[in-house]
Amino acid sequence: MSEKNTILKGGAMPRHIGIIMDGNGRWAKKRGLPRVAGHKEGAENFKRIAEHLVDLNIEVSTFYAFSTENWKRPAAEVNNIMSLLVDYLVEWQGMRKDKNMRFRFIGDRSAFSDRIQKLMADVEEKSSVYSNQLNLALNYGARDELARAFNLLYEEHKSPITPDDISRALYTKDQPDVDLIIRTGGEKRLSNFLLFQSAYAELFFTDKYWPDIKNEDIDEAILFFQNKDRRFGGLTQGR
Ligand code: IPE
Ligand code: IPE
Ligand code: MG
């Protein structure tokens, strides 16, 4: 066993990992393929990496698949992503038990077709007996999520509002804050992803495009996490 594996298994695991799956378009362009080919390969890779995270027994994994800003793209690209989404939702309806994946779709669903909304509800319902939580962020934007949370608290006549109140009004309610965010594709920004939940997240960036990401890259990010001194504003123990 390599030293790498030893550290990974022995160290503290992040409870919640967020992944910004960026670089599908550039992956395709590099191969002379249309952008949609990158999205297809990216979706296949999502399935592989999601299985790896379940194998590692990560409690919650959040994958950023489509942002509130991604509607700005050409209609043909958006339509293609939507049709890929339908295919995968249909596949997940028949998800095998041994995968142990519990789905939650986070984001504003009202923008999706009735068919997609029904599929999302069905996949969530059918997978609710499993334990490893997979959040798929679709039409998700952290600013949108926060505005929605404040509106919910306002309707509850909640006053004063505490950070814990906000936390339980987010799509990620009942889930731990994100410990580690991985962004692929070379950019070092959050692009409206989990802004509230990431207050003390460790940030791991890689230049690799999402479809090229392998299990070992995820392990490398977890090792990076395990070597961090997480102080949360306090001091390292013993100093
Ligand atoms: C991420 O890949 C997937 C989505 C945002 C839907 P991109 O499509 O952003 O790929 P690049 O960044 O253009 O290469
Ligand atoms: C972030 O990627 C959103 C997803 C991965 C779904 P983008 O490609 O949309 O982000 P920007 O435009 O580079 O910030
Ligand atoms: Mg991008």
Side-chain angles (χ1 to χ4, degrees), residues 64-71 78-86 89 105-121 136-141 144 171:
Y64 203 6
F66 194 85
S67 75
T68 45
E69 287 74 43
N70 287 147
W71 300 102
V78 171
N79 290 340
N80 181 268
I81 292 172
M82 293 305 139
S83 84
L84 276 175
L85 176 60
V86 170
L89 286 168
F105 299 98
I106 66 169
D108 178 6
R109 303 177 189 205
S110 65
F112 295 111
S113 67
D114 286 349
R115 173 154 193 235
I116 289 180
Q117 291 188 47
K118 280 205 187 82
L119 282 166
M120 285 175 167
L136 196 56
L138 289 161
N139 192 24
Y140 173 88
D144 196 58
Y171 291 119

Side-chain angles (χ1 to χ4, degrees), residues 20-22 64-67 70 73 137 183 187 189 191:
I20 303 175
M21 306 184 284
D22 197 22
Y64 203 6
F66 194 85
S67 75
N70 287 147
R73 297 184 180 201
R183 181 171 187 145
E187 307 294 358
R189 55 179 174 247
S191 300

